[in-house]
Amino acid sequence: MNIDLWPLLIYTLIVVVLVPGLLVVSSLLGQRRQDHATHDVYESGVVSTGSAQLKIAVPFYLTAILFIIFDLEAAFLVAWAISIRESGWLGYTEVFVFIFILLAGLLYLWKSGALEWRTLRQQRDLANLAGEGGVVNVGARAAAAKESHHDHHDDHGHDAHQAGHGGAHH
Amino acid sequence: MFEFVVGSPLNIVLILGAVLVAAALLIWVERRVLGFLNERLGPNRVGPWGIAQSLADVGKLITKEDWVPPFADKLPFIVAPIIVPVVMLLSFAVIPIAPGVGIMDLNIGLLWVLAMAGLGSYSAMLGGLASNNKFSLLGGLRAAGQMISYEVFMGISILGIVILSDSFNLREIVEAQHKHGWFVFPQFIGFIVFVIAGLAETKRWPFDLAEGESEIISGFNTEYSGMKFGLFFVGEYIGMLLLSALIPVLFFGGWYAPFGLELPNAIISGIFWMCAKTGCWIFFFILVRAALVRPRYDQLMNYGWLVMLPLSLLNLLVTGAVVLAQGN
């Protein structure tokens, strides 16, 4: 099949000229101001301290690696999807095994904590805060702790007692 | 030269003009509808019912200072806002609007759209990193993580359609739906995954964590002002328009009229129904913005990787098995 690509090329050319053209027009028509805070960093009105070249949290790198693994997989699947009638059940079996291995990999990644965004310390704090049914309601618990006449030690004893009671009930 | 054939100069000029005007109108429509939903009026001063508000905004943005922060990396800072409207407009090149109306019938149409959506994520990433602002950096990182994650199964979710129609060509996909019925029924799971992934790809509410104005000012575009901000803004709305046009093409029979309600002229009927279906989806996305709250970032990512990705893969396997078992 012979495809004439001229319309796409002309359209691309128009778009690529038009959009940056708007910036050029704006830089010609725009005003120029020079006040004492014009060239400051805007960080909620607070005077900026330190560099913005921060250390980046590790989960973002993990996400990028996961993307490379699973998007490559999508590239193979695209080639299979368009030729499914030609490759038949044999091709289907191979894709089935392929997807099964990837899903098993995803399960492993999940269980090994690759998809976890909290640090170990945050996870521990969260586990300590969880109330009945795993519900975390920090405000209500803090208020209850303030109102209660028990001190911290008694509170723990109470929790342990409840847990023991629940165990005995079973 | 001036007739309705795919790729004629008339088509190119009309479609480009229509997309830009529709994006400008869309900004006004969204502000106005959100206004009513919040029990206020929205912009209603410029022109009748405020319809010329976007025109006034363009005039204002063009005459604002074209400021490049002295602390930013100049070249990526300027290139970043240009990328998003360019790739979104280029995606429109393969959208079939009616018989004989469209810019290009690319036989890799669906892959072209996915490729352009993938390039779009550079915009927020570069903008956030080049600004040298802590909030921009956070927004840019969030945008990068979110967009590459949801891109994976956005591609996988529409492979079911490729299997059913045996083509990447969007016009042939519409014709296949005319023959076999709307793909939303056999591909319902793929449809749900695609809509959610599309929302995340265009950074629309409720997935606007990259901007998250209540946490990180304006995210990746905090340091942008004037027309450079305007390009980010209009690019987002062209992206929403693209998504709203893509959903009818892929799942709701494109320009073909539902229930046999064709208008006399095939081209006019096609344009009317395509616009009507697109309009319905635009309205849906505005309502979603008004109704839903933003999730937490780890919830967003885990929802994508642990729910949407397995779901789209299983959908693909089931679709393939059914098509092979039917032997057509």
Side-chain angles (χ1 to χ4, degrees):
Chain A
M1 194 164 72
N2 186 23
I3 311 171
D4 191 9
L5 281 176
W6 279 109
L8 189 63
L9 288 177
I10 293 169
Y11 180 71
T12 307
L13 203 68
I14 297 175
V15 169
V16 168
V17 170
L18 184 76
V19 175
L22 278 172
L23 276 190
V24 174
V25 170
S26 151
S27 77
L28 291 178
L29 292 178
Q31 54 188 339
R32 294 270 181 276
R33 286 182 72 95
Q34 193 66 261
D35 290 335
H36 70 276
T38 303
H39 295 305
D40 279 4
V41 182
Y42 179 69
E43 287 175 357
S44 287
V46 179
V47 176
S48 178
T49 56
S51 155
Q53 309 290 339
L54 305 172
K55 285 177 185 164
I56 297 170
V58 171
F60 286 109
Y61 290 108
L62 283 177
T63 306
I65 294 168
L66 288 181
F67 166 74
I68 291 170
I69 299 170
F70 284 93
D71 215 39
L72 262 185
E73 160 204 356
F76 286 120
L77 292 178
V78 164
W80 169 70
I82 196 72
S83 64
I84 179 169
R85 286 169 184 79
E86 287 82 4
S87 57
W89 283 109
L90 180 67
Y92 182 81
T93 316
E94 285 177 13
V95 163
F96 191 90
V97 172
F98 181 60
I99 289 181
F100 178 79
I101 292 172
L102 279 160
L103 283 179
L106 188 65
L107 190 72
Y108 171 74
L109 287 171
W110 178 39
K111 285 295 172 193
S112 64
L115 296 169
E116 183 56 63
W117 286 77
R118 289 193 177 86
T119 60
L120 283 174
R121 184 175 167 181
Q122 285 169 330
Q123 288 173 37
R124 206 175 53 231
D125 287 353
L126 192 73
N128 288 337
L129 280 172
E132 284 172 34
V135 178
V136 178
N137 193 342
V138 181
R141 278 181 72 87
K146 199 175 277 181
E147 275 179 28
S148 128
H149 293 293
H150 300 295
D151 62 17
H152 192 67
H153 183 74
D154 275 0
D155 197 36
H156 261 284
H158 184 63
D159 278 354
H161 174 70
Q162 265 198 339
H165 185 72
H169 197 72
H170 278 290
Chain B
M1 186 172 176
F2 294 105
E3 67 276 17
F4 279 110
V5 181
V6 172
S8 69
L10 179 73
N11 263 350
I12 294 179
V13 171
L14 275 185
I15 291 175
L16 184 59
V19 168
L20 290 176
V21 170
L25 271 179
L26 180 54
I27 295 173
W28 168 73
V29 167
E30 178 166 71
R31 292 173 65 182
R32 193 83 178 146
V33 171
L34 281 180
F36 284 126
L37 292 173
N38 296 346
E39 293 194 49
R40 49 189 177 85
L41 285 173
N44 65 347
R45 295 291 155 184
V46 191
W49 311 292
I51 199 164
Q53 180 66 43
S54 294
L55 211 61
D57 284 344
V58 169
K60 187 190 81 172
L61 285 175
I62 267 185
T63 51
K64 284 282 171 187
E65 179 168 355
D66 182 45
W67 182 62
V68 180
F71 46 85
D73 299 330
K74 299 264 178 324
L75 185 66
F77 187 85
I78 295 169
V79 169
I82 296 175
I83 294 173
V84 58
V86 166
V87 296
M88 291 303 172
L89 283 173
L90 286 185
S91 296
F92 265 100
V94 293
I95 301 282
I97 291 166
V101 184
I103 292 171
M104 185 83 212
D105 279 345
L106 221 51
N107 54 1
I108 51 161
L110 209 49
L111 297 180
W112 172 268
V113 172
L114 286 177
M116 288 298 150
L119 284 178
S121 54
Y122 275 109
S123 157
M125 226 183 300
L126 284 180
L129 289 173
S131 293
N132 257 333
N133 176 320
K134 294 173 198 85
F135 292 90
S136 299
L137 178 73
L138 290 176
L141 283 176
R142 284 187 185 190
Q146 168 183 341
M147 290 177 84
I148 62 176
S149 294
Y150 278 69
E151 200 181 303
V152 173
F153 47 86
M154 184 178 183
I156 297 175
S157 68
I158 49 184
L159 287 184
I161 287 175
V162 175
I163 290 178
L164 287 179
S165 63
D166 204 17
S167 174
F168 289 128
N169 187 331
L170 290 172
R171 196 171 287 275
E172 283 173 17
I173 288 174
V174 172
E175 299 287 354
Q177 289 179 79
H178 189 51
K179 229 180 286 167
H180 305 299
W182 288 0
F183 282 157
V184 64
F185 301 117
Q187 283 296 310
F188 191 71
I189 294 174
F191 161 69
I192 298 283
V193 174
F194 181 76
V195 170
I196 292 173
L199 274 175
E201 275 296 293
T202 48
K203 297 191 288 298
R204 288 279 312 172
W205 289 258
F207 299 132
D208 65 325
L209 288 99
E211 289 182 32
E213 72 279 356
S214 52
E215 315 155 24
I216 47 174
I217 310 181
S218 187
F220 62 91
N221 61 23
T222 298
E223 289 293 350
Y224 283 90
S225 55
M227 201 61 217
K228 285 203 233 41
F229 162 75
L231 287 184
F232 269 128
F233 193 62
V234 85
E236 186 191 315
Y237 279 87
I238 298 174
M240 180 183 168
L241 203 60
L242 174 76
L243 184 63
S244 304
L246 209 54
I247 292 173
V249 167
L250 293 175
F251 295 99
F252 290 93
W255 65 82
Y256 283 107
F259 317 118
L261 293 172
E262 281 111 17
L263 305 180
N265 184 318
I267 292 181
I268 292 176
S269 171
I271 293 175
F272 172 78
W273 279 109
M274 186 67 196
C275 292
K277 289 172 180 177
T278 307
C280 285
W281 277 100
I282 288 173
F283 203 71
F284 172 77
F285 289 132
I286 296 176
L287 293 185
V288 163
R289 173 176 179 178
L292 295 182
V293 294
R294 199 180 292 146
R296 221 169 51 207
Y297 194 72
D298 61 326
Q299 289 173 334
L300 170 86
M301 299 300 271
N302 284 348
Y303 181 66
W305 285 106
L306 296 177
V307 180
M308 293 279 116
L309 179 64
L311 211 57
S312 59
L313 284 172
L314 292 177
N315 173 55
L316 184 65
L317 282 179
V318 172
T319 308
V322 169
V323 165
L324 281 177
Q326 284 179 343
N328 53 1

